[in-house]
Amino acid sequence: MAGLKGMGRKEPISEEDRERQRLEFIGGAALQAAPVDTPKPAPKARKAKKAPAVRTIFSLTEDVNKQIDKLSLQPRTFKASRSDVVKAGVLALQAMSKAEVVALLAKATGADPAEDLQNDE
């Protein structure tokens, strides 16, 4: 084997020498390593768990799909997902009066809002 000449031991190490080497190694490790007094980290405050997400599948037209994508890109200081856009729409609808919601839904579906408003009275 080329390059490995001289790697073998020429004379065996006595048990006394081996024990002395072990003790020197162990003793040296204690001298080199400074005792570390690490304070225990404070327990982190637990965040309130969000309600688990429910996957819902619904169909959209290509135009509405693109509009949701554009709306999700409008914020510049935070990231908004497509789900966030839908949640914001629900929040906006909840803030409207019933007549406004019915009129907006009628516009989206192409239905006549007058029929629904008359049925409530």
Side-chain angles (χ1 to χ4, degrees), residues 41-61:
K44 294 181 180 179
R46 292 186 180 182
K47 293 181 179 178
K49 291 186 177 181
K50 294 180 181 178
V54 178
R55 292 202 177 269
T56 304
I57 299 173
F58 51 90
S59 300
L60 300 172
T61 63

Side-chain angles (χ1 to χ4, degrees), residues 5 10 18 23 27-31 33 36-37 46 55-56 61 66 71-72 80-81 97 102 112 120:
K5 292 182 182 178
K10 296 185 180 179
R18 187 178 301 265
L23 291 174
L31 294 175
V36 179
D37 185 26
R46 292 186 180 182
R55 292 202 177 269
T56 304
T61 63
K66 286 180 182 178
L71 289 169
S72 69
S81 67
S97 69
V102 170
D112 184 19
D120 283 343

